[in-house]
Amino acid sequence: MQQREAFIDLLKSLIRQPSVVGAEHAFFRVLQRELEERGAHVTWYEGLLVAQGNDPDSALFSAHIDRHGLICTGPNEFQYAAFVAGHRSDLLGNSVSEKLMKKIVDRFQSVPVTAYEPWSGAYRGNGVINHAYVCEYRNNLIFEVKGLEYLVAGTPVAFTDRLTIANGLMSGQLDNVLSAAHLVHLFSLGFQGTAFFTAQEESGSSWRYLLEWFRRFNGATERLIVVDTSPYPDRESADRQAVVLRRRDANASFHAETTDWLEELCRASQISYTFKDAYIDEQNRKAAPLGNEPQSIGSTELGRIIAASNGFVQGTTLQIPTTGYHTMEESSSFTSSDAISQLLLMIAGR
């Protein structure tokens, strides 16, 4: 119980620190302090922070640390940061789908936001999103924010967030500060391996930074464990398992032996689990006779790096089931959080 309280205190602190995709430097500074206080040796690279103990090859974990937010692109004009960081505008011939924009356009109405300096994290002011629309000329999603009319282009704006705890659930913009907090807390418990913290996963770029690190040191691996959240449509679906595993995503198949080993750890510890790819396949089988559109199997940081490296870097994923994905009310149960913590310790060899 004391360890859970220490973890919650850490998560409360981290979730209040802004980390908009494409403007994560300030959050890296916060992570560096927290990790070094726990005895880790921390090294910065472009788009990547690496924390290591005294036995860095004993276990390899990774979590992305960017979250969704906005970027000021003109006078009282803000765009979805993931679209800007990923260069996904119609002018470049790589537009965001109209379906995705319509899905997002009403998601953050009246949400409070905080502007900050991208390098130092210094506070620049706060406001509230009062309007969002799809610009017919640019085919892009535009936000207007009351109270931040004075900002200059290039200023990141984070969704103002706090952790809420009720009915055995933790709620907030959990993706992916929840996973990052677990890896930081792992060093409090004596972890001596390596933890990677990557930037720009929400814009599809984080795998590049991670792959460059492995190539820099010519260090192929089959044991990379990527920790993340995994969305479910409702609480009942999310609570059917404490943790979520995967054998593949839309990009690649994961390392079979490492995935099987992780499954055995779950069984030995009586931790309930399911495979997300199998879950989606089953949902699509049910949807087909009804004429419903099939769900995507999803794209992960690990799948991208396996595909791009031709298997030089391999491993598997360990995911936390959540509801309310990519909103300010994303929720995860304490049952899942405790199970993830237990598995991380087992993987680390404790």
Side-chain angles (χ1 to χ4, degrees):
M1 186 59 69
Q2 285 182 332
Q3 293 298 343
R4 179 195 279 185
E5 291 176 357
F7 169 76
I8 292 300
D9 288 343
L10 173 64
L11 180 58
K12 284 180 178 178
S13 174
L14 292 182
I15 205 169
R16 298 206 53 189
Q17 305 297 325
S19 188
V20 173
V21 54
E24 303 95 335
H25 280 289
F27 192 75
F28 274 153
R29 292 163 66 96
V30 173
L31 276 182
Q32 180 179 11
R33 182 194 67 218
E34 296 290 349
L35 287 160
E36 289 180 344
E37 286 179 353
R38 290 161 173 80
H41 173 71
V42 177
T43 309
W44 278 43
Y45 299 90
E46 176 63 21
L48 180 69
L49 185 145
V50 182
Q52 295 180 308
N54 295 326
D55 190 9
D57 294 329
S58 59
L60 303 173
F61 297 112
S62 178
H64 75 86
I65 53 88
D66 54 304
R67 282 169 267 162
H68 283 296
L70 310 178
I71 295 290
C72 180
T73 53
N76 196 26
E77 176 190 282
F78 303 84
Q79 296 187 31
Y80 206 52
F83 299 165
V84 175
H87 305 290
R88 299 176 68 189
S89 76
D90 199 53
L91 298 177
L92 296 176
N94 184 26
S95 62
V96 177
S97 71
E98 183 178 357
K99 179 181 177 181
L100 178 57
M101 286 191 288
K102 287 183 176 179
K103 183 178 180 180
I104 295 173
V105 69
D106 296 322
R107 181 177 288 176
F108 300 104
Q109 190 70 27
S110 301
V111 168
V113 292
T114 301
Y116 67 99
E117 291 287 347
W119 181 262
S120 67
Y123 173 75
R124 289 296 310 276
N126 60 58
V128 176
I129 297 173
N130 63 2
H131 185 45
Y133 63 96
V134 178
C135 176
E136 61 180 306
Y137 303 110
R138 289 172 289 176
N139 190 30
N140 215 338
L141 186 61
I142 307 298
F143 293 80
E144 292 178 359
V145 179
K146 182 179 181 180
L148 294 178
E149 295 84 357
Y150 55 87
L151 289 184
V152 297
T155 305
V157 178
F159 302 127
T160 307
D161 206 2
R162 284 184 174 83
L163 185 70
T164 302
I165 297 175
N167 302 317
L169 300 175
M170 299 175 287
S171 301
Q173 194 184 4
L174 298 182
D175 184 38
N176 190 29
V177 67
L178 179 59
S179 303
H182 271 294
L183 296 190
V184 173
H185 183 61
L186 197 57
F187 282 95
S188 301
L189 304 178
F191 179 56
Q192 297 299 320
T194 298
F196 302 100
F197 300 88
T198 59
Q200 297 190 38
E201 192 272 347
E202 299 295 358
S203 63
S205 301
S206 61
W207 65 269
R208 300 176 183 270
Y209 305 122
L210 191 53
L211 178 55
E212 185 171 336
W213 186 91
F214 281 102
R215 284 178 170 165
R216 181 183 284 113
F217 298 105
N218 194 30
T221 185
E222 299 173 342
R223 299 184 296 111
L224 178 64
I225 308 292
V226 178
V227 189
D228 205 343
T229 61
S230 186
Y232 284 83
D234 50 56
R235 195 71 251 160
E236 181 182 358
S237 300
D239 288 341
R240 287 175 185 157
Q241 60 280 302
V243 300
V244 180
L245 309 181
R246 273 182 176 270
R247 296 196 183 278
R248 61 189 175 96
D249 73 352
N251 302 292
S253 294
F254 298 168
H255 191 253
E257 288 80 3
T258 304
T259 304
D260 290 344
W261 174 64
L262 196 52
E263 182 182 15
E264 285 301 317
L265 289 181
C266 291
R267 287 178 175 174
S269 306
Q270 296 185 325
I271 293 173
S272 61
Y273 68 93
T274 55
F275 285 91
K276 190 60 177 283
D277 47 316
Y279 167 81
I280 294 174
D281 287 342
E282 178 62 23
Q283 295 297 111
N284 288 339
R285 277 193 292 270
K286 293 178 180 178
L290 303 176
N292 295 334
E293 184 177 350
Q295 298 180 47
S296 167
I297 198 170
S299 182
T300 68
E301 180 178 82
L302 181 66
R304 291 188 180 104
I305 197 172
I306 291 173
S309 69
N310 294 317
F312 182 72
V313 176
Q314 296 192 47
T316 196
T317 59
L318 178 58
Q319 299 181 318
I320 306 166
T322 65
T323 57
Y325 192 55
H326 284 172
T327 70
M328 308 301 291
E329 292 80 36
E330 185 172 10
S331 298
S332 172
S333 69
F334 279 119
T335 299
S336 291
S337 182
D338 291 345
I340 289 289
S341 182
Q342 182 181 349
L343 283 170
L344 292 175
L345 281 170
M346 294 176 69
I347 296 167
R350 291 294 303 275

